[in-house]
Amino acid sequence: MWEAIRRWFDPADLRSVGEPPDYRFSLANERTFLAWLRTGLALVGGGLAAAQFLPPLPMSHLREVIAVALLLLGGIVAIRAVDHWARTERAIRLGQELPASRFPALLALAVGAGAVLLVIAVLVRAIGEG
Amino acid sequence: MSAGRDPGLQPERTRLAWRRSMLAWTVVTALAVRLGSTGGTVGALSAGVAVLVWGAALVLCWPRATGTGPARTGGRTLPLVALGALGLALSGVLLVIRGLW
């Protein structure tokens, strides 16, 4: 793991692998990284907004749980974006198949599950008030 | 970059992607500062750090967002920017948890 992290910060190490690719592929890879970074920033922003704008919810500390979950998810997305970018760049330089990843599916499931839980929380409150 | 060599406008698209990302970062920083402003000393400190990290990210990404300086892809900028985003997330977690007391 530390080896992988050291490699992110060592552009020379990446350039020592394989052939220099068509620069357009590197730019596309970088844009994909940026799209993931924005996804992570959106989750972080969502967490920060939940912490300060959500009204009190029926379960105690549910607001804080939502905020922390979104913040952590955003951080993970950002870090995973670098790892995926580095592995993709390596694969492009080596002419290998691009790395497959379960991460998008897992993220989608997590966000979907979170949305369902929130719907339940809103319904519980609506029924409690009605 | 000559237009004939690159009909896909790849450098321009990448430049705009950096700009979008920095705009998103700016919004998140504003939210972090607003949350921090309600959190006493720790909140003020984390808001200050968020602004500093935002400034550092802006300086780091400026050449890529504006196309000034040598064209380059990859490098240390990417992991540094991601670490900055992780730092924003963790300082937010700290503030939220601290707010429980």
Side-chain angles (χ1 to χ4, degrees):
Chain A
M1 181 190 157
W2 294 113
E3 178 62 18
I5 293 174
R6 195 193 58 76
R7 277 183 177 171
W8 297 345
F9 287 97
D10 189 0
D13 178 74
L14 193 59
R15 281 196 203 102
S16 69
V17 175
E19 304 276 312
D22 184 332
Y23 72 95
R24 286 173 296 181
F25 297 156
S26 291
L27 288 170
N29 191 20
E30 191 164 303
R31 285 199 301 280
T32 307
F33 162 80
L34 289 169
W36 275 110
L37 179 76
R38 287 194 299 278
T39 305
L41 284 172
L43 287 164
V44 171
L48 292 171
Q52 50 194 319
F53 297 123
L54 267 193
L57 294 167
M59 272 165 277
S60 68
H61 299 326
L62 181 58
R63 186 174 64 179
E64 281 72 23
V65 170
I66 291 168
V68 169
L70 284 171
L71 286 164
L72 289 180
L73 208 53
I76 291 169
V77 166
I79 293 304
R80 183 262 173 193
V82 191
D83 185 57
H84 193 72
W85 165 80
R87 289 196 297 139
T88 301
E89 197 70 13
R90 197 167 283 267
I92 291 172
R93 293 187 74 97
L94 290 169
Q96 293 169 343
E97 226 176 311
L98 296 183
S101 176
R102 290 194 184 88
F103 186 83
L106 290 175
L107 180 67
L109 284 178
V111 171
V116 168
L117 284 176
L118 269 183
V119 167
I120 291 171
V122 168
L123 286 178
V124 165
R125 192 170 70 154
I127 291 166
E129 282 173 356
Chain B
M1 199 59 60
S2 78
R5 188 168 161 232
D6 196 353
L9 296 177
Q10 298 268 344
E12 284 81 355
R13 287 164 64 192
T14 309
R15 203 147 62 223
L16 291 170
W18 278 102
R19 262 183 229 185
R20 284 200 295 281
S21 304
M22 287 305 109
L23 280 171
W25 197 300
T26 307
V27 173
V28 174
T29 303
L31 282 170
V33 168
R34 192 185 178 282
L35 182 64
S37 66
T38 59
T41 316
V42 176
L45 255 161
S46 86
V49 170
V51 170
L52 282 180
V53 169
W54 171 72
L58 220 54
V59 169
L60 195 64
C61 302
W62 195 261
R64 288 162 192 255
T66 57
T68 50
R72 43 176 64 214
T73 67
R76 287 192 191 93
T77 304
L78 275 61
L80 284 175
V81 164
L83 279 185
L86 179 68
L88 261 181
L90 292 182
S91 79
V93 169
L94 179 79
L95 272 182
V96 171
I97 290 175
R98 198 178 168 281
L100 292 175
W101 275 274

